Amino acid sequence: MFAGNELQVETAVHNALKTMRGVERNQIATFLIDPVVLYILAATSKRCLTVSEMAPVVNLPAATCYKLIYQMDKLGLVAFCGNGRNSGRGKAAAYTSVLKEMHLDMKNSVIVLRVTWKNGTTDEFRKDLVPQTADPCPFGTISAQPTEADGAAFD
């Protein structure tokens, strides 16, 4: 485990959140609903971990963790804490999550994701599951053709 300087970690989290503000919100939301990303964010929420430390915790190959951490770092979802000790070849990069807590609600065909970041700010992501149509009345092009049974009822 990486035992980092608190000020260094706090600065890294601040910089990661600054990076995240420059990323499109849909990319952030897409990553946040990925269960594997959530496992990594949960594993690194309380402490900084190297990829070799987090891989067994999240039950993923190290190569997959490296790929996800690289993408999450570019999005600002994890912060680089510094270099930790690696069991074999010296120092390895350690990361921590910038996510403090997250709530997912689904009600009335709307998914709402509320996220609190480690700096105390919150974001809300909404996705309406009802398809938007250009035609205000989706049944406007259907015409009613009376059948013989309908015609007999009105005679």
Side-chain angles (χ1 to χ4, degrees), residues 9 13 44-48 77-79 81 94-98 118:
V9 173
V13 167
T44 59
S45 66
K46 297 286 185 196
R47 59 189 181 151
C48 296
L77 291 174
V78 293
C81 299
Y95 296 90
T96 188
S97 167
V98 299
K118 283 187 177 176

Side-chain angles (χ1 to χ4, degrees), residues 89-142:
R89 298 182 206 135
K91 296 186 177 190
Y95 296 90
T96 188
S97 167
V98 299
L99 181 72
K100 184 176 180 182
E101 69 181 41
M102 183 175 91
H103 299 278
L104 179 69
D105 294 322
M106 189 173 90
K107 222 188 275 187
N108 298 327
S109 298
V110 176
I111 295 175
V112 179
L113 182 65
R114 288 182 194 87
V115 179
T116 304
W117 307 106
K118 283 187 177 176
N119 68 352
T121 61
T122 59
D123 280 323
E124 187 174 277
F125 302 90
R126 297 174 142 307
K127 176 69 177 169
D128 190 357
L129 300 176
V130 177
Q132 300 294 322
T133 60
D135 189 7
C137 178
F139 303 108
T141 59
I142 297 175

Side-chain angles (χ1 to χ4, degrees), residues 68-86:
L68 287 169
I69 284 293
Y70 175 79
Q71 292 172 329
M72 292 165 68
D73 185 41
K74 294 295 179 203
L75 292 174
L77 291 174
V78 293
F80 171 74
C81 299
N83 290 321
R85 297 295 297 160
N86 192 344

Side-chain angles (χ1 to χ4, degrees), residues 143-148 150:
S143 61
Q145 297 291 329
T147 62
E148 286 185 32
D150 289 339

Side-chain angles (χ1 to χ4, degrees), residues 22-33 75 77 125:
V23 176
E24 188 179 325
R25 289 177 51 88
N26 285 342
Q27 284 184 290
I28 301 293
T30 300
F31 256 75
L32 286 176
I33 60 171
L75 292 174
L77 291 174
F125 302 90

